[in-house]
Amino acid sequence: MTEPAPLRGLGRPAAAIALVAAACSLIGVAIAASPAFWHVSTQEDLLRGDLEQLSVDDFGRLSLAPRTDVVYESTAPVVWAVARAEAGALWVGTGDEGRVYHIDADGTATELFDAEEPQVHALARRPDGGVYVGTSPDGLIYAVAPDGTAMPFFDPDETYIWALVVAADGALFAATGTKGIIYRIAPNGTGEPYYDTKTTHALSLAFESSGALLATTESPGRLFRIAPDRSGFILLESDYSELRGLRVASDGTIYVAAVRGAADAAVSPDAAPQAAVFVSTEITVGGTEIQASATPSAVPQVPSGLTAGAVFRVQPDGLWDQIWESDSDAPYDLALDSDGTVVVGTGPDGRIYRLDGPPGTATLLTRAAARQVTSLLYDARGRLHVATANPGTLLALGDSLAAEGTYVSDVHDAQHLAAWGSIRWRAVTPLGTRVELYTRSGNTDTPDDTWSDWSESYDAADGQPITSPRARYLQWRAVLRRGDESPVLTSVTAAYLPRNLRPTVTSITVHPAGTVFQEPFSSTELEIAGYDDAIAAAQATRLEAVATAPATPPALGRRAYRKGLQSLAWTAEDPNDDRLEYTVRYRLEGGSTWSDLTTGLADPIFAWDTASVPDGTYVISIEASDAPSNSPSRSLIGSRASAAFDIDNTPPRITVAPSSTGPAAAPVTFTVQDAQSIIERVEYSFDGNRWEPLYPIDGIADARVERFSLDPPAAQTVVSLTLRATDAMNNTAMSTSALPPRGR
């Protein structure tokens, strides 16, 4: 589409305004009059989008994150473990190539060891300066010297080696799976089971200052304290599948990360060992899957709809509480900085949170350019290192802020084709900083090549017309650029006019004739819902309720009967959630002309006083209009006709046959006839005694004309006969006849 000629030569702001005006003029009657607003201002809102080099605090403030440097970029899909080496260097263990790399303080990476097993899940520094390496899925521990010389150190006949820790006496402790046994290995390589957790996996190990060993497990998720005499005590029994990321603060407080897996049931201690199953797309940390290739999978991944993970804090006296949880981020590891602040590394979006407290607020510190954060480690200089999966990298967070950060919002669904209004935002921009916003739109729920390009940047924070084409979906992008400080973005609001869609009358109920309903909260004995007098009496007090009421059937009160009234009720829907008003019309069945009964109804109920119309069979029509929420030129109407129903306010006619009263007459015969409805009930009474039912000669009361026959009592000489006939609309007629004595 070429640019309209009047727009050529206009400056960008003027052209943008003109484009919006042109778009609105094309919409005509299809656009609703009331704008809607997409407002993003909370941490929960912002976490639905994608962040790069940005932080989000608990107050929903978006700012630049610490600078992230790539320390090591592996050819493997996963970096599992990180440990401190000498002189500021690091060791990293990878999968699924099963290698250990030595990273110098200047970032130079050297391959130190290549294991036969595909996964290196655990590393621990040896007292002599080398490194212990725990591999899986064959569960073997190697001792690797600083020069790379390696030898098998201990084979516990286990499937997984999940964690290694060295005690003060130089002994090595290993957490294993799939039997959940913790081993103690002496410096000479001789080892034995130290403690049986009676779980599927022992995942993390750490020592308390008292010398007690702490361990976390999976299936079930428990935290153990194991005394030097090998007696175990459960500090925390969680309802999560696994506990991991064990850290002990300087004051003795214990922190653990918890993850909920798809299979939450505990495994019996004497259950058969779980075999590793090799698949092509998954590898696991304990029981949580990470996508990779040709690696073992043990336990299903976190299901949707459940809390994905949490962080627990256990005080030295054993009192514990939950300080963080997420239904979307599964925590893989924890770290404690120098002042005891907890840092959480998560997946599947590579987010890193900082937990400040009390009372415990979560700040999204940054997002790694990877799917999972598998391990966290502060080096000797206090710099946080981050190991990741997909891709496998080792990152370090710098002391300075990133120069630039980008945020891409989630996709907003306007439900229907919409014309975009203005976009505005609130931000704090210190000298030298900038916040730039862009938009794009499309008609698929996931942006693809059919979407529009990103707009040019908007530069008016107090509001500027959105230049993206009208569509169903909208997305915005923010770029924050720093000066000496970081800018802070606190909210973004986009206005739009959704397409106005026609309301629908979904059903009509014609209640039995004479059935009425008391108004809810009625101030009188019987204020009838939908009746004109009741509407007029309640109009003043109902104005505010009508203005805010949704288009749903009103709550009806007690059912009652009022002769001559016909209650009509209906349901209606509006796709735009507009307020509706109703018009009720009627016509005779077979007729072609509608007549108005009432207009401007706010509630979907009407009580019709049928005394004003002749008897007959009628059809009513309900018209629902969204005019209360739209301008006259843009409002729409939906209608529906009811099934035919009878109106009958005339009683039936009783005709007694003349011969029935003659001297020779024995039975009394008579006919009951109604012009509109069937004869429902006929009763008789002799000499004013109780009423008795009488049935037609054909045995079925199903017609508008019925014939009856009645034998007077034989013992009576003079009899007064009273007949009472009622039609289906509850109209009643009576007839009284004096009969001569029998036998004359």
Side-chain angles (χ1 to χ4, degrees), residues 340-705:
T341 300
V342 181
V343 179
V344 187
T346 71
D349 296 316
R351 293 170 176 170
I352 302 171
Y353 292 90
R354 184 182 66 238
L355 308 184
D356 299 305
T361 59
T363 295
L364 177 63
L365 187 61
T366 190
R367 179 187 177 276
R371 294 295 306 278
Q372 291 88 11
V373 173
T374 56
S375 185
L376 298 171
L377 177 71
Y378 279 97
D379 65 13
R381 295 174 294 175
R383 193 180 191 197
L384 180 63
H385 285 74
V386 179
T388 70
N390 297 310
T393 59
L394 181 65
L395 310 173
L397 301 190
D399 296 330
S400 61
L401 296 176
E404 178 180 306
T406 302
Y407 177 82
V408 179
S409 74
D410 65 336
V411 173
H412 182 68
D413 184 2
Q415 301 298 322
H416 308 286
L417 184 71
W420 311 121
S422 63
I423 188 167
R424 65 180 187 272
W425 63 95
R426 292 174 183 259
V428 178
T429 52
L431 184 65
T433 67
R434 291 188 62 189
V435 174
E436 300 170 356
L437 259 72
Y438 308 81
T439 61
R440 63 178 176 179
S441 60
N443 286 307
T444 59
D445 57 3
T446 301
D448 56 22
D449 57 7
T450 67
W451 275 51
S452 69
D453 293 333
W454 287 107
S455 68
E456 295 186 30
S457 66
Y458 301 103
D459 50 21
D462 57 350
Q464 190 170 342
I466 296 172
T467 59
S468 299
R470 61 190 179 109
R472 174 172 174 171
Y473 299 96
L474 183 70
Q475 188 177 43
W476 55 266
R477 179 180 70 184
V479 178
L480 280 64
R481 306 182 194 277
R482 76 164 215 191
D484 293 335
E485 302 177 67
S486 171
V488 178
L489 180 64
T490 59
S491 69
V492 175
T493 303
Y496 58 96
L497 286 171
R499 179 181 180 182
N500 191 27
L501 299 178
R502 192 177 303 279
T504 303
V505 180
T506 55
S507 68
I508 299 176
T509 300
V510 180
H511 289 282
T515 299
V516 295
F517 300 90
Q518 185 177 13
E519 279 277 2
F521 314 111
S522 173
S523 59
T524 64
E525 183 177 351
L526 181 60
E527 190 174 316
I528 298 172
Y531 190 50
D532 284 348
D533 289 345
I535 293 174
Q539 188 68 25
T541 58
R542 193 182 291 179
L543 290 178
E544 181 178 354
V546 167
T548 58
T552 56
L556 298 178
R558 178 170 57 89
R559 184 188 292 259
Y561 179 79
R562 180 70 65 85
K563 182 73 173 69
L565 295 185
Q566 176 65 62
S567 291
L568 310 166
W570 56 93
T571 59
E573 298 175 352
D574 187 86
N576 306 104
D577 291 327
D578 289 339
R579 288 187 294 112
L580 300 177
E581 64 179 17
Y582 306 102
T583 295
V584 183
R585 294 179 174 171
Y586 74 99
R587 63 174 172 81
L588 278 167
E589 184 181 38
S592 58
T593 302
W594 292 98
S595 300
D596 286 351
L597 270 177
T598 187
T599 61
L601 284 179
D603 289 334
I605 186 170
F606 179 66
W608 182 11
D609 186 354
T610 59
S612 60
V613 294
D615 294 351
T617 300
Y618 288 85
V619 177
I620 61 115
S621 171
I622 306 297
E623 291 186 355
S625 170
D626 60 10
S629 295
N630 294 274
S631 64
S633 63
R634 294 175 176 173
S635 62
L636 297 173
I637 293 174
S639 65
R640 186 185 188 96
S642 72
F645 61 95
D646 290 329
I647 290 178
D648 182 5
N649 292 311
T650 303
R653 187 172 70 253
I654 302 172
T655 304
V656 180
S659 60
S660 298
T661 60
V668 177
T669 61
F670 60 94
T671 301
V672 180
Q673 180 175 353
D674 192 273
Q676 187 60 38
S677 49
I678 66 171
I679 306 305
E680 189 171 79
R681 185 172 66 258
V682 171
E683 301 161 292
Y684 68 91
S685 172
F686 291 115
D687 290 339
N689 293 319
R690 69 177 185 178
W691 291 103
E692 300 285 350
L694 185 65
Y695 297 95
I697 293 175
D698 63 6
I700 303 175
D702 62 350
R704 287 183 286 183
V705 179

